[in-house]
Amino acid sequence: MTRASAIDGASSYFDTGRFASDLGDLVSFETESQTPSKAAELSRYLKEAMVPRLRAMGFDCEIHQNPEADAGPLLVAQRLENEHRPTILSYGHGDVIRAQTDQWRDGLHPFRLVDEGDRLYGRGSADNKGQHLINMAALRAVLDARGALGFNCRILIEMGEEMGSPGLAAFCEAQKDALAADVLIASDGPRLQPDTPTMFMGARGGVSFDLVVDLRDGAHHSGNWGGLLADPAMILVQALSTITDARGQIRVPEWRPTSLTDDIRRALRDLPIEGESGPPIDEDWGEEDLTPAERVYGWNSFAILAMTSGVPDAPVNAISARARASCQLRYVVGTDQADIVPALRRHLDAHGFQAVRIVPHTRGFFDATRLPPDHPWVKFVARSLEETAGKTPHILPNLAGSLPNEVFSGILGLPTVWVPHSYRGCSQHAPNEHVLKSVSRDALRLMTGLFWDIGESAGPH
Ligand SMILES: [Zn+2]
């Protein structure tokens, strides 16, 4: 058997309708992790949809309780062939975001796979059921062709990613040995462009916090007290105006990255930023000297997610007592996570804004991760994808959004290579979520070629 025949096997898995029918089965599990009444579906997905599939491929499977109470279970599956061959860890999440059932268009339903033109609609089709199904089917195509993978494989499936992966870090810390590997190869998120394979090796981090100016009890008449009482909204917006300038360029010195090195700039040079979906970008927004790709993948961005003072929909003639802005910093490798809030404190104090309190959010902390574009595993995966696709993949040092990738790169100490199988117009986290059939078929072939190559040469040397 050859590389080409393994890849043909993956194509025929798609072409004979087995991919769509397997995906339909996975989508029919109503695995909303944010809906407490669906908790039983989370373990049912692992027991009924994952374990039989993986056992049939010679994997030992164990379902573990989440170390955090009320969070979904985790599955660790492994197929160990030979201790002298490399071990690949893969990851996926079987939970989905809220279904939003009444918002899907006529003829669609979140938990019924609908086949229409080049699209397969269903909740989780893109995020993430379709993606881990593709990787498992590719492993099976290699097993069918070769009789063995040629490497050891571990697969971790969690059921709480859409809740911010509760317990994942503690679980990986406790299961370090059971999850030991040479590299993480996993799939989530979109390709930059649907017709070109994409790789990314980490994610930007994110820190969220409120800025609060709370001056007194209750609002006071603006005629009797205006000019006498300090206005919390004015103080807050003045403080915010010191964090960036008028085009959003960051002014807090410690928040300005030093990691946009020449090799990262080179990696970002030819990447397309604007796709067929989404609003046109504002060329005159953000860091002036950077290209759009450098702004979103190689730099930090500050956002004011929401802000209030008084009641905007029903204003009264009063100086309000309190103003609040909910803020976020997305940041790249090289920004010290532990110093993000203290640096802002020093900055606000230096500008005379001692009255502005910083209240960090308890959820929503991810650390930034990245792998150099010339890492041997990056080059190995890129070469394999290129051989199958006949074109150079788009390679991102890190995703602009966030992923629980620090668990794999930090706690497990792995190089991490992500190969996403969706596209930016997939309506992930919205009604009418779907995958493109053309991309899914292509992804099955790419991953089969990649797993074949790892088994053939035992990875990079
Ligand atoms: Zn998601």
Side-chain angles (χ1 to χ4, degrees), residues 93 95-97 127-128 161-162 188 428-429:
H93 66 90
D95 65 317
V96 297
I97 199 94
D127 181 16
N128 167 268
E161 198 265 355
E162 304 293 1
D188 202 8
Q428 140 186 27
H429 290 204

Side-chain angles (χ1 to χ4, degrees), residues 220-235:
H220 293 268
H221 192 282
S222 57
N224 299 336
W225 297 96
L228 298 175
L229 293 183
D231 188 321
M234 282 187 216
I235 294 172

